[in-house]
Amino acid sequence: MAMRLSGAPVRDKILKYILLKGREAGVNAGLTVLRMGEKPEDLAYEKSIIAMGEKAGITVKVKLLDENMTDKKAKDLISEINNDKSIHGVLLLRPMANKEAEKAITENLAPSKDVDGITPSCMAGLYGADKTYFPPCTARACMEILSFYNLSPKGKRVVVIGRSLVIGKPVSMMLLREDATVTICHSKTSNLKEITKNADIVIVAIGRREAIGGEFLEKGQTVIDVGINVTEENKLIGDVNYEEAFSIVDNITPVPGGVGSVTASLLLLHCLQSCLGIIDKY
Ligand code: NAP
């Protein structure tokens, strides 16, 4: 039987820190969420950020973008945001229906306001182990969960399944920075089961409901399930078969209630840090 690595205490510790630190500094940090359309997953994430912002003392504003906005309009909007001293962080709900606008926003957002690590500068900073930029929040959420539960990846064999720029690659870089020995797997990996069974920690970010079953896992392992899949009944299910994994491994994050709950709190933490001009430590 595994230990359940709940995200709630990790999230609550971060929110408490934000509230206290913000009050102590007497600042009012502001986050702007840029949304295009009404995708249920965007609305759900936005709702949780607004609720957490209220708890943590961060002002969250939502800006709805026109799906037909031109490249110039997107650049003008970002220039306005970059110059607005009341906005300390920006979250872009991606993927957006208008790819050109998404690209223009990503490329022109000031790195200091890029609290989800999506701009080219933040990406380069991550790969160059430069801690003066914010990392993507979901990748950092995996690291914060390991740290909170004293499961240091130092010297451990860590297998990351998924190589996206949102999670797989950034979390792999962060693990390397923490002296883990990292193997990155993807849809073309042969012998995935052999690779995962030899790991101490398995981080799963595939985007396929319960793709990783008990046959991929071994006793003694820690499993971090990043996946969020919505069923026909509107239930959230991870990329790992939780029931099977729970009876085999030592530690596992649930879905919901695991990585996802920590991600939004880190976004708010980064926003406060942007406001205070300090990055990385908390
Ligand atoms: P993505 O861009 O679709 O990437 C999926 C990755 O998984 C790709 O690298 C793909 O390999 C690999 N893959 C797909 N099927 C595989 C298989 N059968 N075996 C091994 N690898 C396989 O997805 P993403 O944006 O990284 O998101 C991954 C998951 O995380 C999704 O469920 C998403 O909803 C969730 N998510 C969670 C949070 C959170 O806060 N918890 C935030 C964002 C996303 P190839 O490169 O070869 O195609």
PDB file of all heavy atoms in Angstrom, residues 256-279:
ATOM      1  N   PRO A 256      -7.910  13.733  -9.007  1.00  0.00           N
ATOM      2  CA  PRO A 256      -7.417  15.076  -8.682  1.00  0.00           C
ATOM      3  C   PRO A 256      -6.798  15.111  -7.279  1.00  0.00           C
ATOM      4  O   PRO A 256      -6.804  14.108  -6.572  1.00  0.00           O
ATOM      5  CB  PRO A 256      -8.703  15.920  -8.735  1.00  0.00           C
ATOM      6  CG  PRO A 256      -9.790  14.955  -8.373  1.00  0.00           C
ATOM      7  CD  PRO A 256      -9.374  13.607  -8.902  1.00  0.00           C
ATOM      8  N   GLY A 257      -6.271  16.261  -6.907  1.00  0.00           N
ATOM      9  CA  GLY A 257      -5.741  16.433  -5.551  1.00  0.00           C
ATOM     10  C   GLY A 257      -4.235  16.265  -5.459  1.00  0.00           C
ATOM     11  O   GLY A 257      -3.699  16.212  -4.353  1.00  0.00           O
ATOM     12  N   GLY A 258      -3.570  16.176  -6.605  1.00  0.00           N
ATOM     13  CA  GLY A 258      -2.113  16.020  -6.579  1.00  0.00           C
ATOM     14  C   GLY A 258      -1.409  17.219  -7.192  1.00  0.00           C
ATOM     15  O   GLY A 258      -1.510  18.335  -6.676  1.00  0.00           O
ATOM     16  N   VAL A 259      -0.742  16.985  -8.315  1.00  0.00           N
ATOM     17  CA  VAL A 259       0.065  18.030  -8.977  1.00  0.00           C
ATOM     18  C   VAL A 259      -0.779  19.267  -9.324  1.00  0.00           C
ATOM     19  O   VAL A 259      -0.354  20.402  -9.106  1.00  0.00           O
ATOM     20  CB  VAL A 259       0.722  17.456 -10.260  1.00  0.00           C
ATOM     21  CG1 VAL A 259       1.475  18.533 -11.024  1.00  0.00           C
ATOM     22  CG2 VAL A 259       1.649  16.305  -9.908  1.00  0.00           C
ATOM     23  N   GLY A 260      -1.987  19.034  -9.848  1.00  0.00           N
ATOM     24  CA  GLY A 260      -2.833  20.140 -10.301  1.00  0.00           C
ATOM     25  C   GLY A 260      -3.112  21.166  -9.218  1.00  0.00           C
ATOM     26  O   GLY A 260      -3.144  22.367  -9.482  1.00  0.00           O
ATOM     27  N   SER A 261      -3.289  20.680  -7.979  1.00  0.00           N
ATOM     28  CA  SER A 261      -3.636  21.634  -6.914  1.00  0.00           C
ATOM     29  C   SER A 261      -2.438  22.492  -6.523  1.00  0.00           C
ATOM     30  O   SER A 261      -2.600  23.594  -5.996  1.00  0.00           O
ATOM     31  CB  SER A 261      -4.199  20.896  -5.694  1.00  0.00           C
ATOM     32  OG  SER A 261      -3.480  19.737  -5.417  1.00  0.00           O
ATOM     33  N   VAL A 262      -1.237  22.013  -6.791  1.00  0.00           N
ATOM     34  CA  VAL A 262      -0.038  22.786  -6.432  1.00  0.00           C
ATOM     35  C   VAL A 262       0.295  23.807  -7.532  1.00  0.00           C
ATOM     36  O   VAL A 262       0.785  24.902  -7.259  1.00  0.00           O
ATOM     37  CB  VAL A 262       1.160  21.830  -6.189  1.00  0.00           C
ATOM     38  CG1 VAL A 262       2.413  22.596  -5.809  1.00  0.00           C
ATOM     39  CG2 VAL A 262       0.818  20.810  -5.102  1.00  0.00           C
ATOM     40  N   THR A 263      -0.011  23.439  -8.775  1.00  0.00           N
ATOM     41  CA  THR A 263       0.340  24.285  -9.923  1.00  0.00           C
ATOM     42  C   THR A 263      -0.177  25.717  -9.781  1.00  0.00           C
ATOM     43  O   THR A 263       0.580  26.684  -9.924  1.00  0.00           O
ATOM     44  CB  THR A 263      -0.218  23.652 -11.227  1.00  0.00           C
ATOM     45  OG1 THR A 263       0.308  22.341 -11.343  1.00  0.00           O
ATOM     46  CG2 THR A 263       0.169  24.447 -12.452  1.00  0.00           C
ATOM     47  N   ALA A 264      -1.462  25.866  -9.471  1.00  0.00           N
ATOM     48  CA  ALA A 264      -2.045  27.215  -9.395  1.00  0.00           C
ATOM     49  C   ALA A 264      -1.439  28.034  -8.262  1.00  0.00           C
ATOM     50  O   ALA A 264      -1.243  29.249  -8.396  1.00  0.00           O
ATOM     51  CB  ALA A 264      -3.563  27.101  -9.224  1.00  0.00           C
ATOM     52  N   SER A 265      -1.112  27.370  -7.148  1.00  0.00           N
ATOM     53  CA  SER A 265      -0.527  28.125  -6.025  1.00  0.00           C
ATOM     54  C   SER A 265       0.861  28.646  -6.393  1.00  0.00           C
ATOM     55  O   SER A 265       1.265  29.733  -5.965  1.00  0.00           O
ATOM     56  CB  SER A 265      -0.475  27.271  -4.752  1.00  0.00           C
ATOM     57  OG  SER A 265       0.372  26.169  -4.921  1.00  0.00           O
ATOM     58  N   LEU A 266       1.584  27.891  -7.224  1.00  0.00           N
ATOM     59  CA  LEU A 266       2.918  28.342  -7.646  1.00  0.00           C
ATOM     60  C   LEU A 266       2.828  29.536  -8.594  1.00  0.00           C
ATOM     61  O   LEU A 266       3.678  30.423  -8.573  1.00  0.00           O
ATOM     62  CB  LEU A 266       3.676  27.190  -8.315  1.00  0.00           C
ATOM     63  CG  LEU A 266       4.195  26.142  -7.328  1.00  0.00           C
ATOM     64  CD1 LEU A 266       4.652  24.889  -8.060  1.00  0.00           C
ATOM     65  CD2 LEU A 266       5.320  26.697  -6.458  1.00  0.00           C
ATOM     66  N   LEU A 267       1.770  29.543  -9.377  1.00  0.00           N
ATOM     67  CA  LEU A 267       1.547  30.676 -10.273  1.00  0.00           C
ATOM     68  C   LEU A 267       1.403  31.964  -9.451  1.00  0.00           C
ATOM     69  O   LEU A 267       1.978  33.010  -9.774  1.00  0.00           O
ATOM     70  CB  LEU A 267       0.270  30.407 -11.063  1.00  0.00           C
ATOM     71  CG  LEU A 267      -0.030  31.312 -12.214  1.00  0.00           C
ATOM     72  CD1 LEU A 267       0.879  30.999 -13.380  1.00  0.00           C
ATOM     73  CD2 LEU A 267      -1.474  31.119 -12.642  1.00  0.00           C
ATOM     74  N   LEU A 268       0.647  31.863  -8.366  1.00  0.00           N
ATOM     75  CA  LEU A 268       0.439  33.025  -7.496  1.00  0.00           C
ATOM     76  C   LEU A 268       1.727  33.382  -6.754  1.00  0.00           C
ATOM     77  O   LEU A 268       2.035  34.559  -6.557  1.00  0.00           O
ATOM     78  CB  LEU A 268      -0.698  32.744  -6.509  1.00  0.00           C
ATOM     79  CG  LEU A 268      -2.059  32.488  -7.166  1.00  0.00           C
ATOM     80  CD1 LEU A 268      -3.072  32.030  -6.132  1.00  0.00           C
ATOM     81  CD2 LEU A 268      -2.571  33.724  -7.889  1.00  0.00           C
ATOM     82  N   LEU A 269       2.481  32.357  -6.364  1.00  0.00           N
ATOM     83  CA  LEU A 269       3.772  32.606  -5.701  1.00  0.00           C
ATOM     84  C   LEU A 269       4.698  33.374  -6.646  1.00  0.00           C
ATOM     85  O   LEU A 269       5.309  34.377  -6.257  1.00  0.00           O
ATOM     86  CB  LEU A 269       4.429  31.271  -5.301  1.00  0.00           C
ATOM     87  CG  LEU A 269       5.848  31.388  -4.755  1.00  0.00           C
ATOM     88  CD1 LEU A 269       5.854  32.056  -3.382  1.00  0.00           C
ATOM     89  CD2 LEU A 269       6.535  30.025  -4.667  1.00  0.00           C
ATOM     90  N   HIS A 270       4.769  32.920  -7.902  1.00  0.00           N
ATOM     91  CA  HIS A 270       5.621  33.592  -8.882  1.00  0.00           C
ATOM     92  C   HIS A 270       5.166  35.038  -9.085  1.00  0.00           C
ATOM     93  O   HIS A 270       5.972  35.941  -9.265  1.00  0.00           O
ATOM     94  CB  HIS A 270       5.595  32.856 -10.219  1.00  0.00           C
ATOM     95  CG  HIS A 270       6.293  31.516 -10.176  1.00  0.00           C
ATOM     96  ND1 HIS A 270       6.255  30.617 -11.215  1.00  0.00           N
ATOM     97  CD2 HIS A 270       7.055  30.940  -9.209  1.00  0.00           C
ATOM     98  CE1 HIS A 270       6.968  29.537 -10.897  1.00  0.00           C
ATOM     99  NE2 HIS A 270       7.451  29.708  -9.683  1.00  0.00           N
ATOM    100  N   CYS A 271       3.853  35.239  -9.031  1.00  0.00           N
ATOM    101  CA  CYS A 271       3.307  36.585  -9.228  1.00  0.00           C
ATOM    102  C   CYS A 271       3.767  37.511  -8.090  1.00  0.00           C
ATOM    103  O   CYS A 271       4.204  38.640  -8.324  1.00  0.00           O
ATOM    104  CB  CYS A 271       1.791  36.488  -9.296  1.00  0.00           C
ATOM    105  SG  CYS A 271       1.026  38.009  -9.744  1.00  0.00           S
ATOM    106  N   LEU A 272       3.685  36.996  -6.876  1.00  0.00           N
ATOM    107  CA  LEU A 272       4.156  37.799  -5.732  1.00  0.00           C
ATOM    108  C   LEU A 272       5.661  38.056  -5.868  1.00  0.00           C
ATOM    109  O   LEU A 272       6.138  39.176  -5.643  1.00  0.00           O
ATOM    110  CB  LEU A 272       3.872  37.065  -4.407  1.00  0.00           C
ATOM    111  CG  LEU A 272       4.451  37.782  -3.186  1.00  0.00           C
ATOM    112  CD1 LEU A 272       3.633  39.032  -2.859  1.00  0.00           C
ATOM    113  CD2 LEU A 272       4.530  36.877  -1.970  1.00  0.00           C
ATOM    114  N   GLN A 273       6.400  37.026  -6.246  1.00  0.00           N
ATOM    115  CA  GLN A 273       7.853  37.178  -6.375  1.00  0.00           C
ATOM    116  C   GLN A 273       8.206  38.186  -7.471  1.00  0.00           C
ATOM    117  O   GLN A 273       9.158  38.951  -7.332  1.00  0.00           O
ATOM    118  CB  GLN A 273       8.498  35.816  -6.653  1.00  0.00           C
ATOM    119  CG  GLN A 273       8.427  34.902  -5.420  1.00  0.00           C
ATOM    120  CD  GLN A 273       9.042  33.541  -5.648  1.00  0.00           C
ATOM    121  OE1 GLN A 273       8.970  33.000  -6.742  1.00  0.00           O
ATOM    122  NE2 GLN A 273       9.618  32.974  -4.610  1.00  0.00           N
ATOM    123  N   SER A 274       7.425  38.199  -8.546  1.00  0.00           N
ATOM    124  CA  SER A 274       7.643  39.185  -9.605  1.00  0.00           C
ATOM    125  C   SER A 274       7.414  40.590  -9.049  1.00  0.00           C
ATOM    126  O   SER A 274       8.177  41.518  -9.312  1.00  0.00           O
ATOM    127  CB  SER A 274       6.680  38.896 -10.763  1.00  0.00           C
ATOM    128  OG  SER A 274       6.555  40.007 -11.589  1.00  0.00           O
ATOM    129  N   CYS A 275       6.369  40.719  -8.233  1.00  0.00           N
ATOM    130  CA  CYS A 275       6.043  42.013  -7.622  1.00  0.00           C
ATOM    131  C   CYS A 275       7.180  42.469  -6.688  1.00  0.00           C
ATOM    132  O   CYS A 275       7.529  43.644  -6.640  1.00  0.00           O
ATOM    133  CB  CYS A 275       4.726  41.867  -6.867  1.00  0.00           C
ATOM    134  SG  CYS A 275       4.221  43.287  -5.937  1.00  0.00           S
ATOM    135  N   LEU A 276       7.765  41.505  -5.967  1.00  0.00           N
ATOM    136  CA  LEU A 276       8.819  41.833  -5.004  1.00  0.00           C
ATOM    137  C   LEU A 276      10.205  41.868  -5.648  1.00  0.00           C
ATOM    138  O   LEU A 276      11.184  42.276  -5.006  1.00  0.00           O
ATOM    139  CB  LEU A 276       8.830  40.813  -3.855  1.00  0.00           C
ATOM    140  CG  LEU A 276       7.566  40.732  -2.998  1.00  0.00           C
ATOM    141  CD1 LEU A 276       7.683  39.600  -1.981  1.00  0.00           C
ATOM    142  CD2 LEU A 276       7.319  42.050  -2.291  1.00  0.00           C
ATOM    143  N   GLY A 277      10.281  41.390  -6.878  1.00  0.00           N
ATOM    144  CA  GLY A 277      11.577  41.380  -7.566  1.00  0.00           C
ATOM    145  C   GLY A 277      12.516  40.300  -7.060  1.00  0.00           C
ATOM    146  O   GLY A 277      13.733  40.421  -7.186  1.00  0.00           O
ATOM    147  N   ILE A 278      11.959  39.236  -6.453  1.00  0.00           N
ATOM    148  CA  ILE A 278      12.815  38.112  -6.038  1.00  0.00           C
ATOM    149  C   ILE A 278      12.297  36.837  -6.699  1.00  0.00           C
ATOM    150  O   ILE A 278      11.091  36.610  -6.756  1.00  0.00           O
ATOM    151  CB  ILE A 278      12.835  37.888  -4.500  1.00  0.00           C
ATOM    152  CG1 ILE A 278      11.401  37.953  -3.942  1.00  0.00           C
ATOM    153  CG2 ILE A 278      13.783  38.824  -3.791  1.00  0.00           C
ATOM    154  CD1 ILE A 278      11.222  37.271  -2.625  1.00  0.00           C
ATOM    155  N   ILE A 279      13.207  36.034  -7.171  1.00  0.00           N
ATOM    156  CA  ILE A 279      12.788  34.832  -7.882  1.00  0.00           C
ATOM    157  C   ILE A 279      13.407  33.608  -7.218  1.00  0.00           C
ATOM    158  O   ILE A 279      14.520  33.659  -6.715  1.00  0.00           O
ATOM    159  CB  ILE A 279      13.220  34.932  -9.365  1.00  0.00           C
ATOM    160  CG1 ILE A 279      12.421  36.041 -10.034  1.00  0.00           C
ATOM    161  CG2 ILE A 279      13.033  33.610 -10.093  1.00  0.00           C
ATOM    162  CD1 ILE A 279      12.597  36.156 -11.519  1.00  0.00           C
TER     163      ILE A 279
END
